[in-house]
Amino acid sequence: MKTRNASIPLSKNEALLNWVDQIAKLTKPAAIHWVDGSQEENDELCNQLVTAGIYIKLNEKLWPGCYYAKSDPGDVARVEERTYICSKNKDDAGPTNNWADPSR
């Protein structure tokens, strides 16, 4: 089976294509991958993650098609005590978040 070139857009939507182009100019990505959702694509991405040591393939007999992945302790998404949700309504922040008025 011939592998599709994932850098070729799957959409003809001009607004989407323009947006992707605009964001690419701002972020300068090494590559753009248009996801097609195929099993072949999923297998390839999972294989890349196994090769990189990010995924560990589980026993195929017990857990077919399953992988183990864990967070890197150094990859902290946020520091709770220094994270604020800025919204007009304090209730929007929820019970476990800090809140700040965005107009201040």
Side-chain angles (χ1 to χ4, degrees):
M1 175 183 267
K2 184 177 184 245
T3 303
R4 158 186 92 76
N5 182 343
S7 67
I8 297 174
L10 297 174
S11 177
K12 303 272 187 238
N13 181 312
E14 285 299 318
L16 173 63
L17 297 172
N18 289 336
W19 179 82
V20 170
D21 186 52
Q22 178 185 12
I23 297 302
K25 286 177 182 170
L26 289 171
T27 60
K28 298 178 178 37
I32 297 173
H33 181 110
W34 291 84
V35 176
D36 66 12
S38 68
Q39 186 61 51
E40 178 185 17
E41 177 181 62
N42 183 66
D43 293 343
E44 176 59 29
L45 292 172
C46 287
N47 287 336
Q48 288 176 19
L49 291 165
V50 168
T51 300
I54 297 167
Y55 273 11
I56 298 170
K57 187 158 181 59
L58 298 180
N59 183 309
E60 193 65 29
K61 288 183 181 179
L62 297 174
W63 301 98
C66 293
Y67 300 84
Y68 171 69
K70 61 183 177 179
S71 298
D72 183 325
D75 186 16
V76 178
R78 61 188 214 175
V79 179
E80 300 299 333
E81 65 272 5
R82 291 184 284 169
T83 300
Y84 286 81
I85 305 300
C86 297
S87 63
K88 291 180 182 178
N89 184 343
K90 186 175 182 176
D91 291 336
D92 292 341
T96 61
N97 293 306
N98 298 310
W99 174 79
D101 184 340
S103 63
R104 290 185 52 210

